[in-house]
Amino acid sequence: MFDPETNTPAHSANTAISEDLGQVEYILSDKTGTLTENRMIFRRCYISGVLYGDKTGDALKDARLLNAVSSKDPDVVKFLMVMALCNTVVPIKSNDGTISYKAQSQDEEALVNAASNLNMLLTSKDSSGIAEICFNGSKFYYEVLDVLEFTSDRKRMSIVVKEVKSGKFLLLTKGADEAIFPRSCPGEQTKTYLEAVEMYSHLGLRTLCLGCRDLEEDEYKEWSKKFQDASCSLDNREHKIAEVCNSLEQGIHILGITAIEDRLQDGVPETIKLLRKAGINVWMLTGDKQTTAIQIGLLCNLITPESKGQLLSINGKTEDDILQSLERALTIMKTALERKDLAFVLDGWALEIILKRSLESFTKLAMMSRTAICCRMTPLQKAQLVGILKSSGSLTLAIGDGGNDVRMIQEANVGVGISGREGLQAARAADYSIGKFKFLRRLILVHGRYSYNRTAFISQYSFYKSLLICFIQILFSFSSGLSGTSIFNSISLMAYNVFYTSLPVMTIIFDKDISEATVLRYPQILLYSQAGRLLNRSTFAEWFGRSLYHAFVVFLITINAYADEKSDMEELSMVALSGCIWLQAFVVTLDTNSFTCPQITLIWGNFVAFYMINLILSAVPTLQMHTVMWHLCNQPSYWITMALIVAAGMGPVLALRYLRNVYRPSAIDVLQQIEQTDGHAQAPGNLESSTGTYLDYLLTDLRRNKSSIHQPLLSDSASSR
C-alpha cells in the first residue's frame, strides 16, 4: 500500500483494532481529496450572460474570453480582479522572477493561477496588507483592510479592500451559490446564474459565485469598529463575528460563476464496486452542491443509473415537506429494497431538521440504505451521521483527508486518513493512514479480514489450551477423592503457557485461509467476518467442547496406561502433559491453512523443544523429575500411549471436518477447493451455477442475519475509544 506518486507509505497508529477492519459495515467517505485528486483545474466560467469554455472545455483557451481580456471588458476585468484578490494566497517570487502561489485551499490556488493566465497577475502582498496586481502591463495597488474568513457554516469568504489610487472601498466576496444569491442586490437577476450553476453541477464541476459591493468610508469605519469589538469578545466570539460579517455581506452585485474540475483518483470506481460487493455500505459526505455530488457518485459507482437503481431525494421548502419526503423515502425503501439498488440524498439543512424532529425514522432509513449522498455537510454533521450509525450497533469506518474530516474520523470505530494536499491533520488523527483511496480495499479485504481470522483463532485457542489442562486437573481431583493433590508439578504448570504452548500459536500470524488474489476476486467472503462466523458463541462452545473431550481422552488413557503400582506420580504427570502437547501440536497443524517454513519450525520445533527441555530437567538430580523423561522415552508403552491419545483425540475431529467439507461446505471451503483445483470447482448437489453465484447462495443467510444471529465476542476496543 505504498503510493509511489507521493512517496507515501501506509501507517498504522492503532494496532489494537486491526480485527475491526475485517468487520466494517459502513464506510463514510469525504469527497474532495478522498475520492478525488484535490487537483483543482479552472475549466469554465459564466460572466455577464456569456458561458466561457462551453465549447472548448477550457475557458482559458476560449477566444471570446481572451478577446474580452485584451479589450479590457469591465465586467470581465472586475471578475478577474475578485479571482485574484479575494483569497488568502501568498505570492512567492523566485530568483528568476517567476511567481508561484502558496495557498491553504486548492480552490483558491486554482482561481489565482487562472486569473494570472488571463493577465490578472497577483504579484505581491506585503506585511502592511498592500497587494499588487498587474493587468495587461498596468499595476494596481489595493490595501487589504479586513478578511472575513470562510467557515463551513458561512460557506463564503470576503475581504474588504481599499483601492490605493482612488481611495475607494470595496467588499469582494466568493462562496456557494446558496450563500451568495440571497445576499444579492435587490432586483438582481439571479435566474441565469442559477441555471449556469445547475449546468456546471451536472457536469460534476465545483462552482463558486463571485460578487462585489462598493462601500462608503463612513459605513466601513462604523462596521470595522463592530468587527473589532466582536473579534475581541470573550463570550460567544465566533457567533458575534458571524453576525457582524453577515451585516456587511448584503446587497452584493453578482459578477459571475466559476467552475472547477476535480478529477476522481485512479481506482476509485473499482474500489467502491469491490467494497459494495463485499457487503459494505458506502456513504459519501461532502460539502459540495447536491448536483455535483450526485454526478461524482455516478462516476465512482457509488450510485447506479436510474435504469437499475433509484435515488430518493429528501428535501423540501419547509420542515413539514422534509419530514414528509423522509417518510416517503422510508416507505419506498421498505417496499422496493429487493428489486432496486436504492440510495437517498439529503443536504445539511434537511439533516438538521430531521435530527431534531424525526431521528428514529432517519435511523431506520439509514439501516436499510446501502448508499447515501449527504451534501452541504458541516464537520459537525458528518460526525453526527457517524454517531447515528454507531448507536445502531454498526461498525463504522470514516475516511477523509482534511482538517474538516478530523471530527468524523475520531467519531468512527475505525478512522482512516489520507495523506493528501490539505495536510496531515486527518492522517495524524486517524488509526490508519494511506496514500490513496484505492488502498482501502486491500486494507479492509486483505489485512482486516486476515487480522479478524487470526484474532478469532488465537483468542479461542488460548482458551482451549488453558481449559484443557484445567479439566484434566479437575478430573484428577475427582479420581483422587478431592484430596487437593495436583497431577502436574509446579515446573510443568509454569512452563506450560510460557514455553510449551506459546510459540505454536504464534504461527497463526503467517496463516492465510485463502490467498489475497482470491479474496479480491470474491470480496463477498468478507461477510464471514462481518457476521462474526469465526468468533461467536457457537464457535466458542465448539472449542470448549473440544477441550473437554481432549481432557477426557488424555486423562482416561493416561490413567489406564500408567495408574498402577509400578508408576509413580511424576511419570503419570509427564504422560498427561505429553498428551496435551501432542494434541495441541496436531490441533494447530489441523487449523493451519497455509504452511510456511516459519510455521513448520515453530509448531514442530517447539514440539521437539518440549522433549529437549524435559530431558535436560530429568538430568538434574535435585529435581523431582530426575530420570522421569529418560525412563519414559525408553518405554515403547509411552509412545503407544501418545499414539492412542492422538488417534482418539483427533480422529473424531478429522471425521467431522471431512463430513462437513463434503456435505455442507462453507464459502471458505469452496474457495479453498477452487485454489487447489486451479480455479475449477463444482458446487455440491444439483446446483449448477457459477462460483460467484454459488457463493452468494451460501452467504444469503449471512446477508440477512449478520447483525442478529452471529454476534462477535471481540472486545469493544474501538467503540470504547
Side-chain angles (χ1 to χ4, degrees):
M1 297 190 292
F2 177 79
D3 182 23
E5 183 179 347
T6 59
N7 197 33
T8 303
H11 175 70
S12 173
N14 188 352
T15 58
I17 59 172
S18 299
E19 65 276 359
D20 288 342
L21 285 169
Q23 295 187 289
V24 169
E25 297 173 273
Y26 283 86
I27 293 177
L28 297 98
S29 173
D30 177 43
K31 182 183 77 69
T32 305
T34 303
L35 301 178
T36 62
E37 294 181 345
N38 203 16
R39 292 179 178 175
M40 307 300 178
I41 303 174
F42 183 84
R43 287 300 186 192
R44 306 188 184 197
C45 61
Y46 177 77
I47 309 171
S48 299
V50 182
L51 294 167
Y52 295 106
D54 57 329
K55 296 180 180 179
T56 63
D58 188 353
L60 300 180
K61 297 179 181 180
D62 194 317
R64 296 173 298 165
L65 182 58
L66 297 176
N67 291 334
V69 171
S70 60
S71 62
K72 298 183 181 180
D73 183 290
D75 292 335
V76 174
V77 171
K78 189 171 289 188
F79 181 84
L80 295 178
M81 186 263 291
V82 175
M83 284 177 58
L85 270 181
C86 187
N87 51 63
T88 57
V89 172
V90 177
I92 301 174
K93 185 176 290 187
S94 61
N95 295 330
D96 58 1
T98 59
I99 297 175
S100 60
Y101 299 105
K102 185 176 181 181
Q104 295 180 343
S105 167
Q106 300 297 319
D107 293 276
E108 289 189 343
E109 184 178 353
L111 292 177
V112 174
N113 281 321
S116 66
N117 289 331
L118 294 171
N119 296 339
M120 185 68 72
L121 184 64
L122 176 63
T123 55
S124 68
K125 278 184 181 179
D126 59 27
S127 57
S128 61
I130 303 297
E132 179 186 89
I133 287 182
C134 182
F135 178 68
N136 286 347
S138 302
K139 293 185 178 180
F140 303 90
Y141 295 92
Y142 295 88
E143 181 182 359
V144 180
L145 301 175
D146 292 292
V147 177
L148 287 62
E149 296 181 352
F150 173 88
T151 66
S152 56
D153 294 323
R154 284 167 34 79
K155 298 178 183 178
R156 63 189 181 277
M157 79 150 299
S158 304
I159 64 170
V160 179
V161 298
K162 178 183 178 182
E163 192 174 346
V164 174
K165 184 177 180 180
S166 64
K168 188 176 182 180
F169 290 83
L170 295 172
L171 171 72
L172 311 180
T173 185
K174 72 173 187 292
D177 54 285
E178 67 264 28
I180 302 297
F181 290 158
R183 293 167 175 79
S184 61
C185 297
E188 181 94 38
Q189 297 297 321
T190 60
K191 182 179 179 181
T192 56
Y193 293 107
L194 281 170
E195 291 174 351
V197 168
E198 286 298 318
M199 183 187 69
Y200 291 148
S201 298
H202 280 294
L203 297 174
L205 301 176
R206 296 164 58 90
T207 59
L208 282 174
C209 181
L210 274 58
C212 70
R213 176 193 168 197
D214 293 337
L215 299 176
E216 297 294 334
E217 183 175 358
D218 293 339
E219 179 187 7
Y220 167 71
K221 289 181 178 179
E222 182 182 352
W223 175 87
S224 179
K225 185 178 183 305
K226 294 179 181 178
F227 185 68
Q228 291 177 1
D229 292 340
S231 301
C232 297
S233 175
L234 298 178
D235 181 29
N236 205 11
R237 185 168 64 93
E238 293 183 359
H239 177 70
K240 291 180 179 179
I241 291 176
E243 285 187 343
V244 173
C245 292
N246 186 60
S247 66
L248 188 68
E249 295 169 326
Q250 303 292 334
I252 298 172
H253 172 58
I254 308 297
L255 297 175
I257 307 295
T258 64
I260 298 174
E261 180 186 45
D262 187 14
R263 294 177 180 175
L264 284 178
Q265 294 180 16
D266 293 336
V268 167
E270 296 81 3
T271 299
I272 291 180
K273 183 178 180 180
L274 205 66
L275 293 172
R276 295 189 68 199
K277 192 176 180 181
I280 299 175
N281 307 312
V282 184
W283 289 23
M284 181 170 70
L285 315 182
T286 177
D288 276 352
K289 190 175 177 62
Q290 178 173 310
T291 311
T292 303
I294 291 174
Q295 292 302 312
I296 295 298
L298 287 169
L299 290 174
C300 67
N301 288 330
L302 189 63
I303 55 178
T304 54
E306 291 186 2
S307 59
K308 297 181 180 179
Q310 184 176 358
L311 186 63
L312 307 174
S313 180
I314 302 174
N315 56 20
K317 295 182 179 180
T318 65
E319 294 187 6
D320 291 336
D321 290 343
I322 290 174
L323 297 178
Q324 288 176 6
S325 67
L326 172 63
E327 294 300 329
R328 184 167 55 251
L330 186 58
T331 302
I332 296 174
M333 194 76 72
K334 290 178 179 178
T335 57
L337 191 59
E338 298 295 333
R339 297 192 299 272
K340 279 191 173 184
D341 188 4
L342 300 179
F344 70 86
V345 57
L346 82 165
D347 59 21
W349 182 65
L351 178 64
E352 184 178 352
I353 294 170
I354 289 170
L355 294 182
K356 290 180 180 178
R357 299 184 55 182
S358 189
L359 177 59
E360 184 177 352
S361 296
F362 180 75
T363 303
K364 292 179 181 178
L365 180 68
M367 291 296 97
M368 297 174 65
S369 177
R370 295 199 59 198
T371 305
I373 294 179
C374 305
C375 50
R376 296 305 192 196
M377 292 285 132
T378 65
L380 176 60
Q381 289 176 323
K382 291 182 179 182
Q384 286 175 330
L385 285 172
V386 175
I388 290 172
L389 295 173
K390 278 180 63 179
S391 64
S392 65
S394 299
L395 202 150
T396 59
L397 181 148
I399 178 170
D401 72 310
N404 60 334
D405 302 316
V406 170
R407 187 177 294 185
M408 170 181 71
I409 288 172
Q410 292 179 334
E411 178 67 22
N413 298 100
V414 181
V416 178
I418 291 183
S419 302
R421 292 173 172 268
E422 292 194 15
L424 298 175
Q425 284 179 290
R428 288 171 178 166
D431 302 303
Y432 303 92
S433 64
I434 53 179
K436 293 285 180 64
F437 183 85
K438 65 181 179 181
F439 296 133
L440 192 62
R441 59 183 170 188
R442 182 173 178 83
L443 182 66
I444 293 176
L445 297 178
V446 177
H447 295 288
R449 183 179 175 276
Y450 284 155
S451 294
Y452 171 78
N453 291 359
R454 292 161 182 169
T455 301
F457 176 80
I458 288 176
S459 58
Q460 294 176 117
Y461 176 79
S462 298
F463 277 105
Y464 160 79
K465 66 185 183 68
S466 298
L467 288 173
L468 174 59
I469 202 166
C470 290
F471 284 142
I472 293 174
Q473 182 63 50
I474 292 172
L475 292 173
F476 179 77
S477 297
F478 281 111
S479 66
S480 63
L482 301 177
S483 62
T485 304
S486 173
I487 189 174
F488 302 108
N489 59 55
S490 58
I491 295 178
S492 297
L493 289 174
M494 178 191 67
Y496 179 75
N497 281 314
V498 178
F499 299 110
Y500 300 156
T501 60
S502 58
L503 290 181
V505 75
M506 290 297 104
T507 60
I508 199 65
I509 64 175
F510 303 102
D511 191 47
K512 298 178 180 180
D513 56 348
I514 51 179
S515 66
E516 298 175 9
T518 302
V519 173
L520 295 175
R521 183 180 178 186
Y522 303 103
Q524 57 266 49
I525 197 63
L526 185 71
L527 283 165
Y528 259 74
S529 302
Q530 290 177 329
R533 264 298 177 103
L534 301 179
L535 180 55
N536 53 70
R537 292 177 178 86
S538 61
T539 59
F540 186 82
E542 180 183 339
W543 280 94
F544 182 89
R546 185 187 299 188
S547 64
L548 182 59
Y549 171 69
H550 283 174
F552 271 104
V553 169
V554 172
F555 180 75
L556 293 176
I557 293 178
T558 301
I559 288 294
N560 284 280
Y562 280 86
D564 53 31
E565 298 84 3
K566 298 179 180 179
S567 303
D568 60 21
M569 190 64 185
E570 290 300 327
E571 286 188 355
L572 187 69
S573 171
M574 189 54 64
V575 172
L577 183 63
S578 300
C580 293
I581 302 302
W582 277 70
L583 281 177
Q584 289 174 56
F586 279 94
V587 165
V588 174
T589 303
L590 181 64
D591 282 271
T592 299
N593 297 283
S594 58
F595 288 97
T596 61
C597 290
Q599 287 173 286
I600 296 172
T601 302
L602 286 172
I603 295 173
W604 297 105
N606 189 84
F607 180 77
V608 173
F610 165 74
Y611 280 95
M612 293 180 63
I613 291 172
N614 282 281
L615 287 172
I616 293 172
L617 292 176
S618 296
V620 180
T622 57
L623 296 178
Q624 293 180 348
M625 299 170 56
H626 181 53
T627 71
V628 171
M629 183 55 79
W630 291 97
H631 179 65
L632 289 175
C633 290
N634 289 324
Q635 293 178 357
S637 59
Y638 171 78
W639 302 108
I640 294 173
T641 302
M642 294 300 105
L644 286 174
I645 290 175
V646 172
M650 300 306 299
V653 176
L654 288 169
L656 289 173
R657 179 164 296 190
Y658 173 78
L659 292 173
R660 189 198 67 184
N661 290 348
V662 171
Y663 296 104
R664 293 190 61 186
S666 65
I668 296 176
D669 297 329
V670 173
L671 293 181
Q672 288 175 338
Q673 183 184 355
I674 291 173
E675 291 185 337
Q676 294 168 3
T677 57
D678 297 327
H680 301 285
Q682 294 293 328
N686 54 12
L687 183 63
E688 301 294 338
S689 59
S690 65
T691 302
T693 305
Y694 179 55
L695 285 177
D696 289 334
Y697 166 77
L698 291 175
L699 296 169
T700 299
D701 289 339
L702 292 184
R703 292 184 187 275
R704 294 174 179 171
N705 305 312
K706 64 181 180 180
S707 62
S708 58
I709 290 182
H710 302 287
Q711 293 294 336
L713 295 178
L714 288 173
S715 62
D716 296 331
S717 55
S719 60
S720 61
R721 288 162 52 230

